[in-house]
């Protein structure tokens, strides 16, 4: 598993969304993509982050961004999460962990002294040509959209 860095070509992928439709990163060529990886549907931090993107969705779209969320949850779990929180963007199913591994966010975690493998909450901002423009490793769930805007305010 390689470590991706700013400036690298974003690994293309093929994944199902919450509606069972196949999505490819290359489908978004010509647009900026916010590809955010999160640990689990319907958990407090992940819900806060998703709702922040939901609440800022229209303005982010006007700024030229598409949003794709990714977790290892099932299509059914994503459908429930999307419906419960009225999420207007696609959530990608990564049950086989191919995306989290390809993007280097499947890592060893430690909670209360117990070690386990899980998804590191990470956001990749991919430019119109498919290159990684920014990587946010310390995501602020409540201000995820603002973190991205701040990167472009300079």
């Amino acid at each position: 598993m390689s470590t991706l860095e700013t400036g690298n070509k974003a690994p293309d992928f093929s994944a199902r969304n919450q509606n069972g439709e196949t999505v490819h990163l290359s489908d978004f060529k010509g647009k900026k993509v916010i590809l955010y990886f999160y640990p689990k549907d319907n958990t407090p931090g992940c819900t806060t982050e998703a709702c922040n993107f939901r609440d800022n969705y229209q303005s982010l779209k006007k700024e030229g961004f598409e949003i794709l969320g990714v977790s290892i949850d099932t299509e059914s779990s994503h459908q429930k999460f999307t419906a419960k929180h009225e999420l207007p963007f696609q959530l990608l199913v990564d049950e086989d962990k191919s995306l989290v591994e390809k993007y280097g966010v499947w890592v060893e975690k430690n909670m209360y002294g117990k070690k386990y493998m899980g998804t590191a909450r990470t956001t990749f901002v991919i430019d119109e040509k498919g290159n990684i423009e920014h990587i946010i490793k310390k995501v602020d769930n409540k201000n995820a959209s603002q973190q991205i805007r701040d990167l472009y305010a300079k």
Side-chain angles (χ1 to χ4, degrees):
M1 177 170 39
S2 63
T3 304
L4 294 173
E5 296 178 9
T6 301
N8 289 162
K9 187 83 176 149
D12 198 8
F13 56 78
S14 175
R16 287 185 341 273
N17 67 13
Q18 71 270 28
N19 302 316
E21 301 159 338
T22 301
V23 175
H24 307 270
L25 179 59
S26 55
D27 296 342
F28 299 93
K29 200 158 188 84
K31 296 181 179 182
K32 286 185 185 282
V33 176
I34 296 166
L35 181 66
Y36 82 97
F37 290 87
Y38 64 97
K40 188 147 183 55
D41 290 342
N42 286 306
T43 55
C46 298
T47 299
T48 299
E49 182 180 18
C51 290
N52 178 269
F53 281 128
R54 175 201 65 202
D55 295 346
N56 291 280
Y57 181 70
Q58 290 305 326
S59 60
L60 286 166
K61 274 195 75 89
K62 283 181 191 158
E63 293 167 38
F65 292 100
E66 289 290 335
I67 301 171
L68 298 172
V70 183
S71 80
I72 62 169
D73 291 304
T74 64
E75 193 175 308
S76 170
S77 176
H78 280 347
Q79 286 172 351
K80 291 174 188 160
F81 189 44
T82 298
K84 182 176 181 180
H85 299 288
E86 299 177 359
L87 303 178
F89 48 84
Q90 300 181 78
L91 298 180
L92 305 181
V93 176
D94 191 27
E95 287 180 278
D96 68 358
K97 301 176 185 73
S98 62
L99 269 74
V100 291
E101 289 178 353
K102 200 179 274 195
Y103 278 80
V105 298
W106 186 248
V107 300
E108 184 175 81
K109 295 176 132 188
N110 189 341
M111 186 182 287
Y112 307 117
K114 181 183 172 214
K115 293 184 183 207
Y116 63 98
M117 295 300 290
T119 303
R121 186 183 312 278
T122 309
T123 300
F124 292 84
V125 183
I126 301 166
D127 72 14
E128 297 87 344
K129 294 177 183 163
N131 298 313
I132 298 171
E133 205 164 43
H134 298 285
I135 302 171
I136 302 170
K137 293 182 179 178
K138 292 191 185 319
V139 175
D140 178 351
N141 298 338
K142 291 180 188 155
N143 299 298
S145 298
Q146 190 58 47
Q147 271 186 299
I148 291 165
R149 286 194 174 102
D150 289 347
L151 296 170
Y152 292 92
K154 298 171 183 169

